[in-house]
Amino acid sequence: MAVVSETIEEKPSLRFKIRSWWLQYFDDIPLFAWLVGALVAAILEMLVGNPFARLIGMPRGPVLFGFLIALKTPLLIPPAILYNIVIYLIPVFLVARFVGRISNSVADWMLKRSVILSTIVHLGMLYAALHIWAVFNDYRILVVKLILLAIMITLSLNVVNGYMGEFSCSHPGFMALGAYTASILSMIFFVDDSTFGPALLPPAFGQFAFPIILIISGAVSSIGALLVAIPSFRTRGDYLAIISLAFTFIVKSLIENLEVVGGPRGLRGQPDWATLPVVFVWTMLCVWVINNYVRSTFGKTMNAVRDGEMAANAMTINTRRTKMVTFLFAAFWAGVAGGLLAHVLRYVNPGSFGIQKLAEVLAMVYFGGLNSVVGSIVGAVGFNLLSEALRPLELYKWIIIPIMIILIMIYRPTGLIAFTEFDVKKLIQPRNKKVREA
């Protein structure tokens, strides 16, 4: 009896096809080429964005990828998708593919000269693309600034809640201290104001003194963190969560009852010093410092304390000192972010630093992923873009966003990107193996 065997060939899945296509055409393209593509797309939108939008039936170029227009007027969803494909996707992919080979050589040349030089050039390209895209309208500038500040705040909280393994709720309080300190200092010294009187120094010097004001704001927040850290880290357990939550409410109530800073009405009139370049530089500095901190030897002790405090103690690690230094370090960057926020909005109000701000910051940390600088960046950018995209839904967006976060917590409890290191040198190196190994 003859046995007939048949071979059943399985069709490759869509995911396999996309991965194969990506590996074939884009796997050897370095970051430099993608940045060139993004820069070309931003320039293209600046030159023909509005005319092309009107040509396909939109009133003007969308302020945020067409999300807001599409939700307000569903008939504009197809034009919005077409706009994004023609203005963003096609130019970015085509240019990146076209300049990929030469970009590998350029990236290799810069990396061999200096890692710092290569990093600065990449950051310059990133800023140029971001700046040209943002100046398309004022709303984009504000959104970009708030996203950059969100990255700083998320990163600083991830140092405590992720890398150190504690649970802190005091970041809104640290931000409030930083925001009010920066506002008061800038208005006393450089602004003629009805509350604080004439400026003590020429206003022209204010822009140059702004970095010092931000550093003082961060230092004040660190002093506030010391008040939380001293009682919290004497014992183990959930005391930090309880005390830090109480600290946030104390700071908010204190500011609401201080008439000299406007009480519940808030304080306005801060100078416009937090421009897009200023916020971008401070954000990159924050990312660089925190990334080096968590990858340093001292940063590794945080992981040891998180994974086993008793074992870390047995290995002669001063766990209490490690916790306090890390907590004050995180509070410093929250204070700097608060100072920048006050000058971005040019208005500060105690109601902005309540329980809703705490929920937003925690959501960004756990949305992106614990123990990861990349996760914090993804969480902050993703959460803020989602929040802005759903803005036309008003109150309903606060039903949709929590549901999405709950789903992420169920299927990815550690966040979208957790335990992923941020290696700058690996990020900016050439992708072509021949160039890299030459």
Side-chain angles (χ1 to χ4, degrees):
M1 182 179 176
V3 178
V4 179
S5 61
E6 294 182 355
T7 303
I8 301 175
E9 293 185 359
E10 292 186 2
K11 291 185 178 179
S13 63
L14 179 62
R15 184 178 177 183
F16 178 81
K17 290 181 179 177
I18 294 175
R19 180 176 172 76
S20 301
W21 173 76
W22 180 269
L23 291 174
Q24 184 178 357
Y25 294 105
F26 297 103
D27 187 51
D28 61 345
I29 293 178
L31 176 63
F32 187 80
W34 291 111
L35 291 175
V36 173
L39 183 60
V40 171
I43 294 172
L44 181 68
E45 183 178 40
M46 183 179 64
L47 296 176
V48 300
N50 279 326
F52 179 72
R54 286 191 287 271
L55 181 68
I56 60 177
M58 300 173 71
R60 62 183 183 282
V63 292
L64 194 65
F65 306 114
F67 293 142
L68 302 180
I69 294 175
L71 285 176
K72 286 180 179 176
T73 313
L75 289 176
L76 292 178
I77 291 177
I81 294 173
L82 179 63
Y83 184 93
N84 288 322
I85 291 173
V86 173
I87 297 294
Y88 296 125
L89 286 182
I90 292 177
V92 169
F93 279 84
L94 277 182
V95 172
R97 179 67 186 160
F98 182 73
V99 303
R101 181 175 295 179
I102 191 170
S103 294
N104 271 310
S105 301
V106 172
D108 183 61
W109 182 84
M110 289 191 297
L111 198 59
K112 285 178 178 174
R113 296 299 179 279
S114 167
V115 176
I116 297 175
L117 168 69
S118 181
T119 305
I120 291 174
V121 171
H122 279 81
L123 285 177
M125 294 286 291
L126 173 62
Y127 177 77
L130 200 62
H131 182 89
I132 294 172
W133 180 82
V135 296
F136 195 66
N137 58 57
D138 293 339
Y139 175 75
R140 282 188 186 178
I141 294 176
L142 180 61
V143 169
V144 170
K145 286 181 183 178
L146 294 179
I147 289 177
L148 291 173
L149 294 180
I151 291 173
M152 293 179 67
I153 297 163
T154 309
L155 265 177
S156 62
L157 184 59
N158 204 351
V159 171
V160 178
N161 288 25
Y163 288 96
M164 200 168 72
E166 297 285 345
F167 190 84
S168 171
C169 301
S170 51
H171 258 53
F174 298 149
M175 289 177 63
L177 288 177
Y180 273 88
T181 302
S183 300
I184 292 169
L185 289 177
S186 59
M187 293 174 77
I188 286 178
F189 287 101
F190 302 106
V191 177
D192 293 328
D193 183 74
S194 59
T195 305
F196 299 105
L200 299 179
L201 294 173
F205 294 162
Q207 188 78 49
F208 302 101
F210 190 45
I212 299 172
I213 290 174
L214 291 177
I215 291 171
I216 294 173
S217 304
V220 170
S221 296
S222 293
I223 293 171
L226 198 61
L227 301 177
V228 179
I230 289 174
S232 300
F233 295 140
R234 283 183 181 277
T235 56
R236 296 169 185 161
D238 300 328
Y239 294 99
L240 177 61
I242 298 166
I243 296 174
S244 60
L245 185 61
F247 174 81
T248 296
F249 284 115
I250 289 170
V251 170
K252 181 172 176 289
S253 300
L254 185 65
I255 295 172
E256 283 176 339
N257 288 282
L258 281 176
E259 281 300 322
V260 68
V261 292
R265 299 183 304 280
L267 193 62
R268 65 175 68 247
Q270 291 86 339
D272 185 18
W273 294 336
T275 58
L276 186 56
V278 170
V279 177
F280 182 82
V281 168
W282 276 99
T283 304
M284 294 303 111
L285 184 64
C286 174
V287 172
W288 180 70
V289 171
I290 290 181
N291 189 50
N292 285 342
Y293 183 83
V294 298
R295 297 182 69 184
S296 67
T297 305
F298 194 86
K300 300 299 180 188
T301 62
M302 288 191 304
N303 296 338
V305 173
R306 179 197 63 205
D307 295 337
E309 190 169 346
M310 293 183 67
N313 256 325
M315 294 172 68
T316 69
I317 293 176
N318 189 334
T319 56
R320 189 174 175 224
R321 175 173 166 269
T322 302
K323 287 182 178 180
M324 291 192 69
V325 170
T326 303
F327 196 64
L328 267 61
F329 173 75
F332 173 84
W333 285 109
V336 172
L340 285 167
L341 179 66
H343 287 78
V344 166
L345 301 176
R346 305 186 68 186
Y347 171 70
V348 63
N349 183 294
S352 305
F353 305 104
I355 196 72
Q356 184 173 340
K357 175 58 74 178
L358 174 62
E360 287 180 6
V361 179
L362 288 173
M364 287 188 283
V365 171
Y366 290 95
F367 183 74
L370 295 171
N371 306 284
S372 172
V373 172
V374 182
S376 293
I377 295 172
V378 170
V381 175
F383 181 87
N384 279 274
L385 282 179
L386 181 65
S387 179
E388 289 300 321
L390 298 178
R391 183 178 291 279
L393 298 180
E394 298 178 352
L395 289 177
Y396 293 105
K397 83 172 186 178
W398 293 115
I399 299 174
I400 297 172
I401 291 176
I403 290 174
M404 294 181 69
I405 293 174
I406 289 170
L407 291 174
I408 289 173
M409 289 297 102
I410 291 174
Y411 293 104
R412 292 187 69 90
T414 56
L416 293 176
I417 303 172
F419 300 96
T420 303
E421 285 198 358
F422 185 59
D423 190 339
V424 175
K425 190 174 179 181
K426 188 176 179 182
L427 197 65
I428 60 178
Q429 70 181 359
R431 299 292 176 189
N432 190 305
K433 290 183 181 177
K434 292 180 180 176
V435 174
R436 201 164 51 198
E437 293 171 1

